[in-house]
mmCIF file of all heavy atoms in Angstrom:
data_model
loop_
_atom_site.group_PDB
_atom_site.id
_atom_site.type_symbol
_atom_site.label_atom_id
_atom_site.label_comp_id
_atom_site.label_asym_id
_atom_site.label_seq_id
_atom_site.Cartn_x
_atom_site.Cartn_y
_atom_site.Cartn_z
ATOM 1 N N PRO A 14 2.882 12.723 38.418
ATOM 2 C CA PRO A 14 3.751 11.558 38.183
ATOM 3 C C PRO A 14 3.193 10.220 38.927
ATOM 4 O O PRO A 14 2.686 10.401 40.034
ATOM 5 C CB PRO A 14 5.132 11.892 38.785
ATOM 6 C CG PRO A 14 5.169 13.374 38.637
ATOM 7 C CD PRO A 14 3.701 13.853 38.836
ATOM 8 N N ASN A 15 3.210 9.174 38.166
ATOM 9 C CA ASN A 15 2.451 8.016 38.611
ATOM 10 C C ASN A 15 3.225 6.752 38.840
ATOM 11 O O ASN A 15 3.164 6.095 39.844
ATOM 12 C CB ASN A 15 1.297 7.781 37.679
ATOM 13 C CG ASN A 15 0.290 6.757 38.083
ATOM 14 O OD1 ASN A 15 0.525 5.613 38.142
ATOM 15 N ND2 ASN A 15 -0.932 7.297 38.489
ATOM 16 N N ASP A 16 3.955 6.305 37.832
ATOM 17 C CA ASP A 16 4.659 4.973 37.916
ATOM 18 C C ASP A 16 5.954 5.141 37.161
ATOM 19 O O ASP A 16 6.152 6.005 36.325
ATOM 20 C CB ASP A 16 3.814 3.905 37.316
ATOM 21 C CG ASP A 16 4.373 2.528 37.672
ATOM 22 O OD1 ASP A 16 4.966 2.406 38.666
ATOM 23 O OD2 ASP A 16 4.080 1.600 36.873
ATOM 24 N N LEU A 17 6.966 4.274 37.522
ATOM 25 C CA LEU A 17 8.302 4.317 36.931
ATOM 26 C C LEU A 17 8.968 2.938 36.863
ATOM 27 O O LEU A 17 8.563 2.041 37.562
ATOM 28 C CB LEU A 17 9.148 5.319 37.663
ATOM 29 C CG LEU A 17 9.466 5.075 39.154
ATOM 30 C CD1 LEU A 17 10.679 5.893 39.551
ATOM 31 C CD2 LEU A 17 8.281 5.443 40.077
ATOM 32 N N VAL A 18 9.940 2.871 35.842
ATOM 33 C CA VAL A 18 10.683 1.643 35.734
ATOM 34 C C VAL A 18 12.149 2.055 35.361
ATOM 35 O O VAL A 18 12.271 3.020 34.528
ATOM 36 C CB VAL A 18 10.023 0.719 34.718
ATOM 37 C CG1 VAL A 18 10.048 1.259 33.285
ATOM 38 C CG2 VAL A 18 10.719 -0.699 34.735
ATOM 39 N N PHE A 19 13.123 1.361 35.782
ATOM 40 C CA PHE A 19 14.542 1.629 35.408
ATOM 41 C C PHE A 19 14.904 0.807 34.255
ATOM 42 O O PHE A 19 14.520 -0.364 34.063
ATOM 43 C CB PHE A 19 15.419 1.258 36.658
ATOM 44 C CG PHE A 19 15.579 2.403 37.647
ATOM 45 C CD1 PHE A 19 14.680 2.399 38.770
ATOM 46 C CD2 PHE A 19 16.409 3.425 37.503
ATOM 47 C CE1 PHE A 19 14.708 3.423 39.685
ATOM 48 C CE2 PHE A 19 16.443 4.480 38.459
ATOM 49 C CZ PHE A 19 15.662 4.382 39.511
ATOM 50 N N ASP A 20 15.805 1.318 33.425
ATOM 51 C CA ASP A 20 16.401 0.608 32.344
ATOM 52 C C ASP A 20 17.752 0.062 32.732
ATOM 53 O O ASP A 20 18.235 0.330 33.864
ATOM 54 C CB ASP A 20 16.414 1.430 30.967
ATOM 55 C CG ASP A 20 17.417 2.624 31.161
ATOM 56 O OD1 ASP A 20 18.226 2.723 32.054
ATOM 57 O OD2 ASP A 20 17.449 3.428 30.117
ATOM 58 N N ALA A 21 18.416 -0.555 31.861
ATOM 59 C CA ALA A 21 19.718 -1.258 32.189
ATOM 60 C C ALA A 21 20.854 -0.205 32.420
ATOM 61 O O ALA A 21 21.925 -0.596 32.937
ATOM 62 C CB ALA A 21 20.156 -2.245 31.053
ATOM 63 N N LEU A 22 20.702 1.054 31.908
ATOM 64 C CA LEU A 22 21.677 2.113 32.205
ATOM 65 C C LEU A 22 21.497 2.721 33.603
ATOM 66 O O LEU A 22 22.291 3.555 33.991
ATOM 67 C CB LEU A 22 21.595 3.101 31.054
ATOM 68 C CG LEU A 22 21.951 2.684 29.681
ATOM 69 C CD1 LEU A 22 21.817 3.887 28.728
ATOM 70 C CD2 LEU A 22 23.384 2.152 29.647
ATOM 71 N N GLY A 23 20.394 2.333 34.320
ATOM 72 C CA GLY A 23 20.136 2.964 35.539
ATOM 73 C C GLY A 23 19.414 4.252 35.449
ATOM 74 O O GLY A 23 19.239 4.966 36.442
ATOM 75 N N ASN A 24 18.782 4.537 34.306
ATOM 76 C CA ASN A 24 17.897 5.717 34.182
ATOM 77 C C ASN A 24 16.429 5.225 34.238
ATOM 78 O O ASN A 24 16.134 4.018 34.179
ATOM 79 C CB ASN A 24 18.187 6.407 32.915
ATOM 80 C CG ASN A 24 19.558 7.145 32.850
ATOM 81 O OD1 ASN A 24 19.998 7.597 33.922
ATOM 82 N ND2 ASN A 24 20.256 7.104 31.753
ATOM 83 N N LEU A 25 15.509 6.203 34.316
ATOM 84 C CA LEU A 25 14.123 5.779 34.570
ATOM 85 C C LEU A 25 13.205 6.394 33.562
ATOM 86 O O LEU A 25 13.359 7.470 33.049
ATOM 87 C CB LEU A 25 13.696 6.151 35.998
ATOM 88 C CG LEU A 25 13.841 7.676 36.366
ATOM 89 C CD1 LEU A 25 12.471 8.417 36.107
ATOM 90 C CD2 LEU A 25 14.222 7.782 37.764
ATOM 91 N N TYR A 26 12.197 5.535 33.235
ATOM 92 C CA TYR A 26 11.015 6.025 32.546
ATOM 93 C C TYR A 26 9.921 6.172 33.519
ATOM 94 O O TYR A 26 9.608 5.378 34.392
ATOM 95 C CB TYR A 26 10.493 4.958 31.462
ATOM 96 C CG TYR A 26 11.499 4.685 30.299
ATOM 97 C CD1 TYR A 26 12.475 3.854 30.306
ATOM 98 C CD2 TYR A 26 11.335 5.602 29.203
ATOM 99 C CE1 TYR A 26 13.256 3.606 29.276
ATOM 100 C CE2 TYR A 26 12.131 5.375 28.039
ATOM 101 C CZ TYR A 26 13.150 4.365 28.139
ATOM 102 O OH TYR A 26 14.011 4.170 27.136
ATOM 103 N N VAL A 27 9.192 7.370 33.531
ATOM 104 C CA VAL A 27 8.134 7.663 34.452
ATOM 105 C C VAL A 27 6.929 8.185 33.708
ATOM 106 O O VAL A 27 7.099 9.079 32.775
ATOM 107 C CB VAL A 27 8.722 8.689 35.511
ATOM 108 C CG1 VAL A 27 9.205 9.941 34.889
ATOM 109 C CG2 VAL A 27 7.660 9.004 36.562
ATOM 110 N N THR A 28 5.800 7.777 34.140
ATOM 111 C CA THR A 28 4.579 8.304 33.501
ATOM 112 C C THR A 28 4.070 9.507 34.318
ATOM 113 O O THR A 28 4.119 9.566 35.503
ATOM 114 C CB THR A 28 3.480 7.291 33.500
ATOM 115 O OG1 THR A 28 3.213 6.711 34.867
ATOM 116 C CG2 THR A 28 3.760 6.149 32.585
ATOM 117 N N ASP A 29 3.475 10.478 33.573
ATOM 118 C CA ASP A 29 2.770 11.627 34.209
ATOM 119 C C ASP A 29 1.274 11.393 33.847
ATOM 120 O O ASP A 29 0.932 11.524 32.585
ATOM 121 C CB ASP A 29 3.248 12.897 33.691
ATOM 122 C CG ASP A 29 2.642 14.121 34.395
ATOM 123 O OD1 ASP A 29 1.532 13.952 34.913
ATOM 124 O OD2 ASP A 29 3.268 15.241 34.411
ATOM 125 N N HIS A 30 0.451 11.083 34.750
ATOM 126 C CA HIS A 30 -0.915 10.726 34.552
ATOM 127 C C HIS A 30 -1.717 11.822 34.089
ATOM 128 O O HIS A 30 -2.806 11.623 33.356
ATOM 129 C CB HIS A 30 -1.496 10.209 35.874
ATOM 130 C CG HIS A 30 -2.786 9.609 35.811
ATOM 131 N ND1 HIS A 30 -2.977 8.254 35.333
ATOM 132 C CD2 HIS A 30 -4.045 10.033 36.305
ATOM 133 C CE1 HIS A 30 -4.350 8.050 35.394
ATOM 134 N NE2 HIS A 30 -4.904 9.021 35.973
ATOM 135 N N GLY A 31 -1.363 13.096 34.393
ATOM 136 C CA GLY A 31 -2.153 14.212 34.014
ATOM 137 C C GLY A 31 -3.085 14.518 35.134
ATOM 138 O O GLY A 31 -3.415 13.700 35.921
ATOM 139 N N LYS A 32 -3.478 15.802 35.128
ATOM 140 C CA LYS A 32 -4.542 16.203 36.086
ATOM 141 C C LYS A 32 -5.939 16.280 35.490
ATOM 142 O O LYS A 32 -6.020 16.658 34.353
ATOM 143 C CB LYS A 32 -4.241 17.597 36.742
ATOM 144 C CG LYS A 32 -3.037 17.705 37.601
ATOM 145 C CD LYS A 32 -3.253 17.026 38.953
ATOM 146 C CE LYS A 32 -2.080 17.286 40.003
ATOM 147 N NZ LYS A 32 -2.341 16.600 41.286
ATOM 148 N N ARG A 33 -6.930 15.905 36.186
ATOM 149 C CA ARG A 33 -8.327 16.013 35.641
ATOM 150 C C ARG A 33 -9.238 16.320 36.817
ATOM 151 O O ARG A 33 -8.996 16.029 38.014
ATOM 152 C CB ARG A 33 -8.787 14.676 34.960
ATOM 153 C CG ARG A 33 -8.888 13.469 35.839
ATOM 154 C CD ARG A 33 -9.178 12.269 35.051
ATOM 155 N NE ARG A 33 -9.472 11.074 35.752
ATOM 156 C CZ ARG A 33 -8.608 10.170 36.163
ATOM 157 N NH1 ARG A 33 -7.278 10.365 35.870
ATOM 158 N NH2 ARG A 33 -8.971 9.066 36.847
ATOM 159 N N ASP A 34 -10.345 17.071 36.410
ATOM 160 C CA ASP A 34 -11.434 17.231 37.351
ATOM 161 C C ASP A 34 -12.709 16.937 36.655
ATOM 162 O O ASP A 34 -12.714 16.338 35.607
ATOM 163 C CB ASP A 34 -11.380 18.753 37.897
ATOM 164 C CG ASP A 34 -11.377 19.812 36.776
ATOM 165 O OD1 ASP A 34 -12.014 19.560 35.660
ATOM 166 O OD2 ASP A 34 -10.753 20.804 37.004
ATOM 167 N N GLY A 35 -13.864 17.525 37.143
ATOM 168 C CA GLY A 35 -15.086 17.198 36.493
ATOM 169 C C GLY A 35 -15.298 17.805 35.166
ATOM 170 O O GLY A 35 -16.297 17.449 34.399
ATOM 171 N N ARG A 36 -14.487 18.761 34.693
ATOM 172 C CA ARG A 36 -14.678 19.406 33.485
ATOM 173 C C ARG A 36 -13.513 19.369 32.459
ATOM 174 O O ARG A 36 -13.670 19.583 31.279
ATOM 175 C CB ARG A 36 -14.992 20.845 33.781
ATOM 176 C CG ARG A 36 -16.234 21.105 34.557
ATOM 177 C CD ARG A 36 -16.392 22.578 34.939
ATOM 178 N NE ARG A 36 -16.627 23.442 33.756
ATOM 179 C CZ ARG A 36 -17.667 23.883 33.384
ATOM 180 N NH1 ARG A 36 -18.751 23.635 33.963
ATOM 181 N NH2 ARG A 36 -17.773 24.751 32.295
ATOM 182 N N THR A 37 -12.221 19.108 33.070
ATOM 183 C CA THR A 37 -11.122 19.253 32.224
ATOM 184 C C THR A 37 -10.180 18.033 32.386
ATOM 185 O O THR A 37 -10.214 17.395 33.443
ATOM 186 C CB THR A 37 -10.230 20.564 32.478
ATOM 187 O OG1 THR A 37 -9.809 20.449 33.838
ATOM 188 C CG2 THR A 37 -11.093 21.712 32.255
ATOM 189 N N LEU A 38 -9.349 17.728 31.422
ATOM 190 C CA LEU A 38 -8.460 16.590 31.430
ATOM 191 C C LEU A 38 -7.073 17.100 30.880
ATOM 192 O O LEU A 38 -7.060 17.567 29.694
ATOM 193 C CB LEU A 38 -8.907 15.399 30.692
ATOM 194 C CG LEU A 38 -7.953 14.352 30.371
ATOM 195 C CD1 LEU A 38 -7.560 13.624 31.713
ATOM 196 C CD2 LEU A 38 -8.519 13.273 29.436
ATOM 197 N N GLY A 39 -6.024 17.044 31.602
ATOM 198 C CA GLY A 39 -4.704 17.404 31.182
ATOM 199 C C GLY A 39 -4.043 16.067 30.595
ATOM 200 O O GLY A 39 -4.040 15.028 31.123
ATOM 201 N N LEU A 40 -3.567 16.250 29.322
ATOM 202 C CA LEU A 40 -2.932 15.105 28.657
ATOM 203 C C LEU A 40 -1.681 14.615 29.422
ATOM 204 O O LEU A 40 -0.925 15.548 29.899
ATOM 205 C CB LEU A 40 -2.635 15.416 27.158
ATOM 206 C CG LEU A 40 -3.794 15.743 26.268
ATOM 207 C CD1 LEU A 40 -3.342 16.079 24.853
ATOM 208 C CD2 LEU A 40 -4.650 14.426 26.190
ATOM 209 N N GLY A 41 -1.365 13.342 29.389
ATOM 210 C CA GLY A 41 -0.281 12.830 30.099
ATOM 211 C C GLY A 41 0.905 12.501 29.151
ATOM 212 O O GLY A 41 0.920 12.764 27.927
ATOM 213 N N ALA A 42 1.951 11.987 29.785
ATOM 214 C CA ALA A 42 3.254 11.901 29.027
ATOM 215 C C ALA A 42 4.051 10.672 29.760
ATOM 216 O O ALA A 42 3.807 10.285 30.827
ATOM 217 C CB ALA A 42 4.062 13.106 28.961
ATOM 218 N N ILE A 43 5.079 10.304 29.019
ATOM 219 C CA ILE A 43 6.223 9.485 29.518
ATOM 220 C C ILE A 43 7.489 10.332 29.469
ATOM 221 O O ILE A 43 7.711 10.986 28.465
ATOM 222 C CB ILE A 43 6.408 8.171 28.773
ATOM 223 C CG1 ILE A 43 5.080 7.409 28.764
ATOM 224 C CG2 ILE A 43 7.467 7.377 29.378
ATOM 225 C CD1 ILE A 43 5.167 6.159 27.919
ATOM 226 N N HIS A 44 8.211 10.325 30.518
ATOM 227 C CA HIS A 44 9.463 11.020 30.620
ATOM 228 C C HIS A 44 10.630 10.109 30.902
ATOM 229 O O HIS A 44 10.382 9.041 31.391
ATOM 230 C CB HIS A 44 9.425 12.187 31.688
ATOM 231 C CG HIS A 44 8.267 13.124 31.563
ATOM 232 N ND1 HIS A 44 8.321 14.264 30.759
ATOM 233 C CD2 HIS A 44 7.032 13.058 32.033
ATOM 234 C CE1 HIS A 44 7.289 14.967 30.775
ATOM 235 N NE2 HIS A 44 6.435 14.197 31.542
ATOM 236 N N TYR A 45 11.836 10.514 30.590
ATOM 237 C CA TYR A 45 13.058 9.756 30.739
ATOM 238 C C TYR A 45 14.043 10.608 31.454
ATOM 239 O O TYR A 45 14.323 11.708 31.146
ATOM 240 C CB TYR A 45 13.556 9.262 29.407
ATOM 241 C CG TYR A 45 14.850 8.366 29.557
ATOM 242 C CD1 TYR A 45 14.672 7.060 29.914
ATOM 243 C CD2 TYR A 45 16.050 8.853 29.198
ATOM 244 C CE1 TYR A 45 15.843 6.179 29.950
ATOM 245 C CE2 TYR A 45 17.245 8.026 29.186
ATOM 246 C CZ TYR A 45 17.041 6.662 29.556
ATOM 247 O OH TYR A 45 18.158 5.829 29.681
ATOM 248 N N GLY A 46 14.696 10.089 32.575
ATOM 249 C CA GLY A 46 15.684 10.811 33.249
ATOM 250 C C GLY A 46 16.603 10.031 34.178
ATOM 251 O O GLY A 46 16.485 8.819 34.269
ATOM 252 N N ALA A 47 17.516 10.717 34.814
ATOM 253 C CA ALA A 47 18.410 10.092 35.683
ATOM 254 C C ALA A 47 18.011 10.160 37.149
ATOM 255 O O ALA A 47 17.215 11.113 37.540
ATOM 256 C CB ALA A 47 19.821 10.785 35.573
ATOM 257 N N PRO A 48 18.444 9.178 37.991
ATOM 258 C CA PRO A 48 17.854 9.211 39.350
ATOM 259 C C PRO A 48 18.667 10.099 40.261
ATOM 260 O O PRO A 48 18.418 10.104 41.481
ATOM 261 C CB PRO A 48 18.119 7.740 39.839
ATOM 262 C CG PRO A 48 19.265 7.205 38.994
ATOM 263 C CD PRO A 48 19.198 7.955 37.617
ATOM 264 N N ASP A 49 19.575 10.977 39.677
ATOM 265 C CA ASP A 49 20.399 11.873 40.507
ATOM 266 C C ASP A 49 19.911 13.268 40.257
ATOM 267 O O ASP A 49 20.625 14.268 40.781
ATOM 268 C CB ASP A 49 21.871 11.700 40.224
ATOM 269 C CG ASP A 49 22.194 12.021 38.730
ATOM 270 O OD1 ASP A 49 21.369 12.432 37.954
ATOM 271 O OD2 ASP A 49 23.386 11.894 38.372
ATOM 272 N N GLY A 50 18.919 13.523 39.595
ATOM 273 C CA GLY A 50 18.403 14.912 39.313
ATOM 274 C C GLY A 50 19.100 15.760 38.235
ATOM 275 O O GLY A 50 18.809 16.890 38.036
ATOM 276 N N SER A 51 19.903 14.990 37.393
ATOM 277 C CA SER A 51 20.719 15.688 36.393
ATOM 278 C C SER A 51 19.964 15.984 35.134
ATOM 279 O O SER A 51 20.274 16.936 34.458
ATOM 280 C CB SER A 51 22.002 14.964 36.125
ATOM 281 O OG SER A 51 21.625 13.538 35.603
ATOM 282 N N PHE A 52 18.906 15.161 34.796
ATOM 283 C CA PHE A 52 18.171 15.451 33.671
ATOM 284 C C PHE A 52 16.875 14.734 33.553
ATOM 285 O O PHE A 52 16.803 13.563 34.089
ATOM 286 C CB PHE A 52 18.946 15.183 32.227
ATOM 287 C CG PHE A 52 19.002 13.747 31.898
ATOM 288 C CD1 PHE A 52 18.028 13.153 31.050
ATOM 289 C CD2 PHE A 52 19.994 12.865 32.427
ATOM 290 C CE1 PHE A 52 18.013 11.736 30.773
ATOM 291 C CE2 PHE A 52 20.041 11.505 32.023
ATOM 292 C CZ PHE A 52 19.088 10.983 31.199
ATOM 293 N N LEU A 53 15.883 15.226 32.973
ATOM 294 C CA LEU A 53 14.541 14.635 32.786
ATOM 295 C C LEU A 53 13.997 15.254 31.490
ATOM 296 O O LEU A 53 13.927 16.566 31.383
ATOM 297 C CB LEU A 53 13.620 14.813 33.966
ATOM 298 C CG LEU A 53 12.210 14.187 33.841
ATOM 299 C CD1 LEU A 53 12.341 12.683 34.010
ATOM 300 C CD2 LEU A 53 11.210 14.763 34.821
ATOM 301 N N ARG A 54 13.490 14.410 30.570
ATOM 302 C CA ARG A 54 13.064 14.968 29.277
ATOM 303 C C ARG A 54 11.784 14.197 28.884
ATOM 304 O O ARG A 54 11.741 12.924 29.173
ATOM 305 C CB ARG A 54 14.131 14.978 28.184
ATOM 306 C CG ARG A 54 14.577 13.558 27.851
ATOM 307 C CD ARG A 54 15.577 13.622 26.665
ATOM 308 N NE ARG A 54 16.012 12.281 26.200
ATOM 309 C CZ ARG A 54 17.096 11.723 26.591
ATOM 310 N NH1 ARG A 54 17.973 12.250 27.406
ATOM 311 N NH2 ARG A 54 17.433 10.471 26.193
ATOM 312 N N PRO A 55 10.848 14.785 28.023
ATOM 313 C CA PRO A 55 9.791 14.050 27.585
ATOM 314 C C PRO A 55 10.144 13.003 26.487
ATOM 315 O O PRO A 55 11.082 13.201 25.683
ATOM 316 C CB PRO A 55 8.861 15.113 26.894
ATOM 317 C CG PRO A 55 9.457 16.343 27.447
ATOM 318 C CD PRO A 55 10.957 16.234 27.741
ATOM 319 N N VAL A 56 9.405 11.873 26.465
ATOM 320 C CA VAL A 56 9.618 10.789 25.558
ATOM 321 C C VAL A 56 8.409 10.574 24.614
ATOM 322 O O VAL A 56 8.524 10.561 23.452
ATOM 323 C CB VAL A 56 9.991 9.479 26.221
ATOM 324 C CG1 VAL A 56 10.098 8.345 25.187
ATOM 325 C CG2 VAL A 56 11.274 9.603 27.012
ATOM 326 N N VAL A 57 7.316 10.565 25.248
ATOM 327 C CA VAL A 57 5.949 10.348 24.501
ATOM 328 C C VAL A 57 5.034 11.363 25.209
ATOM 329 O O VAL A 57 4.935 11.450 26.372
ATOM 330 C CB VAL A 57 5.354 8.986 24.670
ATOM 331 C CG1 VAL A 57 4.107 8.852 23.909
ATOM 332 C CG2 VAL A 57 6.364 7.895 24.077
ATOM 333 N N SER A 58 4.225 12.138 24.348
ATOM 334 C CA SER A 58 3.257 13.046 24.901
ATOM 335 C C SER A 58 1.867 12.722 24.252
ATOM 336 O O SER A 58 1.799 11.892 23.369
ATOM 337 C CB SER A 58 3.597 14.453 24.538
ATOM 338 O OG SER A 58 3.795 14.710 23.196
#
């Protein structure tokens, strides 16, 4: 997880940068969730 921004409802969009090393790259995503731990789901992969 890398960066995040809140929307007007008080929920957040957060980027997952992915993991990479010298040989492999994990694809990243944007997720959407609540700041109280109640839900987080993928938005863009």
Side-chain angles (χ1 to χ4, degrees):
N15 190 288
D16 193 27
L17 62 162
V18 66
F19 279 94
D20 68 8
L22 295 180
N24 294 323
L25 56 95
Y26 292 90
V27 57
T28 54
D29 187 336
H30 189 72
K32 290 285 190 183
R33 65 185 188 270
D34 56 31
R36 298 171 64 100
T37 63
L38 168 66
L40 294 178
I43 304 173
H44 303 273
Y45 182 75
D49 60 3
S51 59
F52 77 91
L53 183 71
R54 63 174 184 263
V56 177
V57 180
S58 59

